[in-house]
Structure formats: C-alpha cells, structure tokens
Amino acid sequence: MSRIDKMSILGVRSFGIEDKDIQVISFFSPLTVLVGPNGAGKTTIIECLRYATSGELPPGSKGGAFVHDPKDAHETDVRAQIRLLFSDVNGEKVTIQRSMSCTQKAKNYSFKSLEQVITRIKDGEKVSLSSKCGDMDREMISSLGVSKPVLNHVIFCHQEESNWPLSEGKALKEKFDAIFAATKYIKALETMRQLRHKQTQTVKECQVELRYLKQNKEKAQQIRETVATKEAQLMASRDSVQQIEDRITPLENQLTDIDTKLGKVMKLDNDIKALESRKKQMEQDNKELEETMEQVFQGSDEQLQDVYQNHQRTVKQKERRLADNQKELEKAGRECQRLNRVKADLLVEQGRLRLEADRHMDNIMTRDTQVRSLSSYLGLEGYDRPPFSDLQLDSFHRHVTERLEQEKETVSQVMAELQEKEQRKQQSIDDMRDKKTGLERTVELKRDLQGKKQQELRDIRAQLQRLEGSSSRLQELESELAKVERELHSTIQSSNVEELKNEVGELQREKTDLDHSQRRLDKEMEMLNTHTTARTQMDMLNREKVSKQRGEFPEKELTSGFNLDNFELPLPGIL
C-alpha cells in the first residue's frame, strides 16, 4: 500500500518565495491532523497534495492565483515548487517535484508549468524521469495505486467541491462512475461484446468456408482418382497406338506402291481413250469428206499440192479484195453520217430561216399598217394600198423628215417667242413688284404720320382740358388746334386711303394675271420639252436605221429601226 511521507512547499499562495520560507510537512500514520487559524494555509496544503499527486490545479486558481502574488513579493517573476516524498505500492521511495512560475504583466498574470521530475531509488541508485520523457500524472497514478477521480473527489477533495454528493443526478452519476471506474468497466464490457460478436461472425464464416473446403477436398479427391484412372488408360492407349503404328508402317509402304502403279495404269488408260477418240474423229472426218467431195482427185500428191497452193492464192486475193471493199464501205458509211449531220444542220437552218422570214413578213405588215395610219394622220397621199415598195418607203421617210424639220422650225420660233414674251412679262412683274413695294412703303409712312398727328391732337385736347381757365391760352390753343386740324385734313386728302387701296387691288389683280400667264408659259415649256424628246427620239431612230440598213435583211432592219409606234408628232392646233 502506498503512503505519503513528506512534502515541501515554496512560493505557493501565502508561502514565501525565499529559501528560508520553505515549509516541510511530515505526515504520520495512521492519521495526520492539520490545525490552524483561517488563512494559515491548511487548504493550501491539501491543494498542494492534490496538485503533486494528480496535477490538477484547485478551482479558482486560473491566471496564476495558485502561485505567490508577485506584487506582495515585489517581483515580476515568482517561481513555486512542490516536492512530495511517498512510498509506492511496492514500498519503494519515490520523490516527485513539480515547478511553476507566475509572471506579472501590464494588466494580468501569466501562469506556466515548468519541468516536472519523478525520482526513484532502485538498488541504491536514483533513477529520474522528466516530464519531457513521460506523462507525470499517469506515473503518479500507477505509483500510488489510486485512480485520479479518487484523488480529486475523495482523498484530496477541495472544500469548495466537498458537497458534490448533493449535486444533480447526472453529475453525481458521472462522479461515481469516474470514482468506481464504471465507465471503463462498461467500455470493457462493450469491447468484449464487440469482440465476441466479431469472433462469432468469424467462426460462422470459418464454418461456411470449412464446409466449402470439405466439398472442395472431396471433389479434389475424386478428381485425383479420375486423373489416375485416365492416366492408366492413357498409358494403355499409348501402348496400343504404338503397336498399331508399327503394323501400319509396312501397310502404308504397300499402299504407296499400289497408288504409284494405279496412277501409271490410269494414265495409260487415258492415253488409250484419247487415241481411240482421235481415231473415231478422224474416221468421221474422212467419212464426211468423202460424202462432201463431188469429184475425187485422181492425180498425184504433187499435183494436189499445186492445186491446193493455187486455191490458197485465190483465197488470199479474194480476202484482200474483201478487206478493200470493207474499207470502202466504212468510208462510205462515215461519209453518209457526215452528210446526214449536214442535212440535219441544213434542216435546222431552214427552220430558222423560215421563222425569220415569217417574223420578217409580220414586221413588214406591221410597218405597212403604221405607214398607212401615219400617212392618213399627216395627210400624205399615195400610201393607201400596201404593200409598199422601197421607193414608196424612201419617199414616205423623206416626207416625214421634211415635216419633222418644219415642225422643229415652228417649235424653235414658238420657243423664241415664248422666251421673249416671258422676259417681257418677267420685266413687267418686276416693275410692278417695285411699284407695289414703293406704294406699300408710302402707305406705311402716311399711316405713321397720321398716327403721330392723332397723338398730337389728343395731347392738345388734354392740354385744353387742363387749361380751360385761361381764355387767352384757350384761343391760342384753339387756333393751334384749327391749324393742326387743317394740316391733318390736308394730310388725309394728300394720302387718300381709298385710292391707295384701289391701286393695291389693281396691282394684286395684275399680279394674279401674271401668275396665270406664268403657269400657261410653264405648260407651254412642258409641251416644248415633250417636242424636244420626240425630236431626240427621231434622231435616235434615224441613226439606228442607218446602222441597221447595212445588215442581212434591209427591209426588216428598216422596219425595226423606224418604229412608228414610238413616233410622236405634235399637232399644230396645240401650239
């Protein structure tokens, strides 16, 4: 069983930070009682035991409150140390040293745990374990043989947490579970249950696999037996095959000899059959020759040979003549084809010429009709009975050209007269406009003068009304008024408004007449433009006629060049 022996405290809460302030507390067996006034450090000793054994700081010590206050020590950095000497579960002496520091900053404190060391004595030698190499809390729990919840909640329970048995059910259960390690037990049971389930599944899978393996083993055994039987049969079959092959070899040699001899026999048989068929054919040919021969040649073979050569020469001559005749026939055939093509082209040309002739006749008839209608319109005699000859057409063209020249001269004279008349009218219009402008200016001046006189008259009357008390002044004003009235009357007489209005009306009527004359002249100008267009068209037709008279069909080109439908001749009555 483990047991605590001694503990030294330095720099924790009210314990000083100097070496002389180190406090060593010895613990007795079976009981140690701590007695002292409030603030003497009883709770601090319990807190130091708790921190040394479990590494847990007391509640409310966050921010360095567990270490001596640097302000009281007049230091910026205060170090604290707790050393505990105890016997572990094996009865060996173990010493643990936990160090910490608290640094004062501008607004708060900074707490930091320093290096922690566990020292054991084994075989008279010290063995140390630093916090850099291991977990101090786990080492302390294993050395004391007491769990951390028992140390915190039972053995070294802080007085502020001593009422935890009265806490809520859930928190209380968690405390008891931690103390009695129920959670670990439950986890162990769950782990065992899971392992059992996995093992059961593994056993089932292994049983299934074992069943299949047994079946495969039986099949493999059967296959091995079958393979052994088949191998024995194969060996026996190989022996039989070897024996049969030994017997087949001489038979194959004999068969080869027989095949060779049979081939020779078949070849001889085929030769015999061929010779017999040739013999029969020759006999049949001789028989046919004897039947077809009218006369049997009685001479010698040389004579027969000469006759045969003469016959061959005659045949060759006839063949040459036949070849020449064939060539001449082919040449005649090609010539016939060429002539047929020429004939087809001539037929096409004949059709085209007939079509052009028909069109030419239609044009001639149209031309004659137009010539007759135009001659009756122009009053020309001798053009009543178509068809017309070339002389009649030339005469008609000459008469029409002369008539056109006369009309051109007439149009030129009319244009000159109209331009002269237009200039005179325009000059008179300009004069009337100037006169009208002068009269309008005079009327405006007279009206302004009349307005001024009326304003003076009103002013004088106003003065008369203001000066009614002065008789002499009144007479002067009356004389002046009479004078002004006379001037006004003379002005009105000199500027007779009615006459001016009448004169303006006459000018407006004259302007209207001039406008009518101008519109009439515009119409005449349009008519002259129409005549000019007709003249231009006639010139174009004449040029087209001259250019087309050099063609293949003079009459046709003359008719197409002298299109009388597009010819317009103005009537003398219009001008």
Side-chain angles (χ1 to χ4, degrees):
M1 184 179 67
S2 60
R3 184 170 59 87
I4 297 175
D5 296 331
K6 290 182 180 181
M7 182 178 64
S8 65
I9 302 173
L10 176 65
V12 177
R13 292 197 186 274
S14 60
F15 292 91
I17 61 173
E18 300 292 338
D19 293 338
K20 62 181 180 179
D21 297 330
I22 295 177
Q23 300 293 327
V24 179
I25 298 99
S26 298
F27 298 94
F28 302 98
S29 180
L31 181 65
T32 300
V33 179
L34 300 177
V35 180
N38 293 334
K42 301 184 295 297
T43 305
T44 302
I45 294 173
I46 302 300
E47 291 175 352
C48 290
L49 288 171
R50 179 179 178 180
Y51 180 70
T53 54
S54 64
E56 291 285 339
L57 291 172
S61 61
K62 187 177 180 181
F66 187 56
V67 183
H68 189 79
D69 193 355
K71 291 181 180 180
D72 295 340
H74 304 287
E75 298 287 343
T76 57
D77 187 12
V78 175
R79 294 179 179 269
Q81 187 182 77
I82 300 173
R83 298 184 66 185
L84 180 66
L85 175 64
F86 65 95
S87 300
D88 61 2
V89 292
N90 297 323
E92 296 179 355
K93 296 295 182 179
V94 180
T95 303
I96 182 171
Q97 176 182 331
R98 293 181 184 266
S99 302
M100 48 197 154
S101 67
C102 180
T103 304
Q104 182 180 2
K105 294 186 177 181
K107 295 182 180 180
N108 53 8
Y109 296 98
S110 175
F111 176 80
K112 182 171 65 174
S113 295
L114 301 178
E115 187 177 4
Q116 302 174 7
V117 180
I118 292 179
T119 304
R120 298 177 184 274
I121 299 175
K122 288 186 178 182
D123 300 331
E125 295 181 359
K126 291 183 178 181
V127 179
S128 299
L129 177 64
S130 175
S131 59
K132 296 179 180 179
C133 301
D135 188 358
M136 297 293 104
D137 297 338
R138 188 180 297 275
E139 289 292 332
M140 287 298 296
I141 290 170
S142 61
S143 298
L144 293 173
V146 182
S147 64
K148 190 174 182 179
V150 173
L151 292 173
N152 292 332
H153 303 310
V154 179
I155 299 175
F156 302 120
C157 181
H158 197 273
Q159 63 181 1
E160 294 180 1
E161 297 178 349
S162 60
N163 59 347
W164 63 265
L166 303 177
S167 59
E168 296 179 357
K170 183 178 180 181
L172 183 62
K173 182 179 181 302
E174 291 178 355
K175 297 282 187 180
F176 277 111
D177 289 342
I179 291 170
F180 295 105
T183 305
K184 293 182 179 180
Y185 178 72
I186 293 170
K187 289 182 179 180
L189 290 177
E190 183 66 24
T191 304
M192 291 174 64
R193 191 180 298 109
Q194 292 177 359
L195 289 174
R196 183 179 179 183
H197 181 69
K198 289 181 180 179
Q199 293 296 329
T200 304
Q201 291 294 116
T202 305
V203 169
K204 289 181 180 179
E205 293 175 358
C206 291
Q207 288 177 354
V208 174
E209 187 176 0
L210 180 61
R211 186 167 61 253
Y212 284 115
L213 289 174
K214 287 181 179 180
Q215 294 177 0
N216 293 333
K217 181 180 178 182
E218 293 175 357
K219 290 181 180 179
Q221 188 65 29
Q222 294 177 0
I223 291 170
R224 287 194 187 96
E225 294 176 356
T226 305
V227 168
T229 305
K230 296 296 182 182
E231 286 179 353
Q233 293 177 359
L234 180 61
M235 293 298 294
S237 299
R238 286 178 180 175
D239 295 337
S240 300
V241 168
Q242 186 66 33
Q243 293 175 3
I244 292 170
E245 287 179 354
D246 294 339
R247 287 185 295 175
I248 285 174
T249 302
L251 294 175
E252 287 180 350
N253 295 330
Q254 293 177 6
L255 183 61
T256 303
D257 296 337
I258 291 170
D259 288 338
T260 304
K261 293 178 181 180
L262 181 61
K264 292 179 180 180
V265 170
M266 291 179 68
K267 184 177 180 181
L268 292 173
D269 191 11
N270 292 331
D271 293 339
I272 292 169
K273 288 180 180 180
L275 292 172
E276 288 179 353
S277 62
R278 185 176 179 184
K279 178 182 177 182
K280 290 179 180 180
Q281 184 67 31
M282 291 177 69
E283 289 176 353
Q284 187 177 357
D285 292 340
N286 290 330
K287 187 177 180 180
E288 290 178 356
L289 287 173
E290 289 176 357
E291 291 177 356
T292 55
M293 289 175 61
E294 296 178 356
Q295 183 179 0
V296 179
F297 185 73
Q298 300 296 331
S300 61
D301 293 339
E302 288 81 4
Q303 293 176 354
L304 180 61
Q305 186 69 25
D306 294 336
V307 172
Y308 177 72
Q309 290 178 358
N310 293 330
H311 178 70
Q312 289 294 328
R313 283 194 296 272
T314 304
V315 169
K316 288 181 180 180
Q317 290 177 0
K318 289 182 178 181
E319 287 178 353
R320 284 195 297 272
R321 289 175 60 188
L322 180 62
D324 295 337
N325 292 330
Q326 289 289 340
K327 291 180 180 178
E328 291 179 358
L329 181 61
E330 290 177 358
K331 184 176 180 181
R334 288 194 295 271
E335 185 67 20
C336 182
Q337 291 178 359
R338 187 183 66 78
L339 293 175
N340 288 330
R341 288 195 296 271
V342 172
K343 179 182 177 182
D345 295 338
L346 292 175
L347 289 175
V348 172
E349 184 67 20
Q350 182 182 3
R352 186 180 65 80
L353 292 175
R354 285 181 180 177
L355 182 62
E356 290 182 356
D358 294 338
R359 192 181 297 122
H360 179 62
M361 293 303 296
D362 294 338
N363 292 332
I364 290 174
M365 293 175 64
T366 304
R367 181 199 63 187
D368 294 341
T369 303
Q370 291 179 355
V371 168
R372 186 173 59 184
S373 61
L374 184 59
S375 62
S376 62
Y377 175 75
L378 296 176
L380 300 176
E381 297 180 356
Y383 301 100
D384 298 334
R385 296 178 181 178
F388 303 109
S389 62
D390 294 339
L391 295 175
Q392 289 177 337
L393 291 173
D394 292 337
S395 176
F396 177 76
H397 184 264
R398 186 171 59 257
H399 289 309
V400 171
T401 305
E402 292 175 356
R403 186 68 174 271
L404 182 61
E405 293 295 333
Q406 293 176 2
E407 293 296 334
K408 287 180 181 179
E409 292 177 358
T410 305
V411 168
S412 300
Q413 293 176 1
V414 171
M415 287 291 293
E417 292 176 358
L418 289 174
Q419 289 178 359
E420 185 178 358
K421 188 183 293 185
E422 183 181 4
Q423 291 177 359
R424 290 197 300 271
K425 294 293 183 182
Q426 187 67 34
Q427 184 65 33
S428 61
I429 289 171
D430 294 337
D431 296 339
M432 289 179 181
R433 284 177 180 172
D434 295 338
K435 188 176 181 180
K436 178 183 176 183
T437 304
L439 292 174
E440 288 177 352
R441 182 63 179 168
T442 304
V443 169
E444 289 178 359
L445 293 174
K446 295 294 184 180
R447 286 178 180 175
D448 294 338
L449 182 60
Q450 184 179 2
K452 291 179 181 179
K453 295 298 182 181
Q454 289 178 356
Q455 183 65 33
E456 290 178 359
L457 181 60
R458 285 193 295 271
D459 294 339
I460 291 170
R461 286 177 179 175
Q463 291 178 4
L464 286 174
Q465 290 177 0
R466 289 194 300 269
L467 300 174
E468 288 180 354
S470 177
S471 59
S472 59
R473 181 63 178 167
L474 181 59
Q475 291 177 359
E476 292 177 359
L477 290 174
E478 286 179 354
S479 61
E480 189 175 355
L481 177 60
K483 182 179 178 180
V484 171
E485 287 179 352
R486 285 193 300 272
E487 290 179 357
L488 178 61
H489 184 67
S490 61
T491 303
I492 291 172
Q493 288 180 355
S494 62
S495 59
N496 193 353
V497 178
E498 295 295 333
E499 292 179 358
L500 292 174
K501 288 182 179 180
N502 294 330
E503 190 174 358
V504 170
E506 290 178 359
L507 290 173
Q508 288 179 351
R509 284 192 297 273
E510 190 173 357
K511 179 183 177 183
T512 303
D513 295 337
L514 291 174
D515 291 336
H516 288 303
S517 300
Q518 185 177 2
R519 284 196 293 272
R520 184 168 56 80
L521 291 173
D522 292 336
K523 291 181 180 179
E524 291 177 357
M525 287 294 294
E526 291 178 359
M527 191 178 297
L528 290 174
N529 290 330
T530 305
H531 295 325
T532 305
T533 304
R535 180 180 177 183
T536 304
Q537 192 172 7
M538 285 294 295
D539 293 338
M540 292 175 64
L541 292 173
N542 290 329
R543 286 195 297 271
E544 188 176 359
K545 173 187 173 184
V546 172
S547 62
K548 289 185 177 181
Q549 280 179 353
R550 302 173 184 176
E552 185 178 358
F553 300 100
E555 294 181 357
K556 173 186 173 183
E557 299 298 335
L558 176 62
T559 305
S560 61
F562 190 67
N563 191 355
L564 298 176
D565 290 336
N566 297 326
F567 178 73
E568 295 180 1
L569 187 64
L571 296 176
I574 297 175
L575 297 176

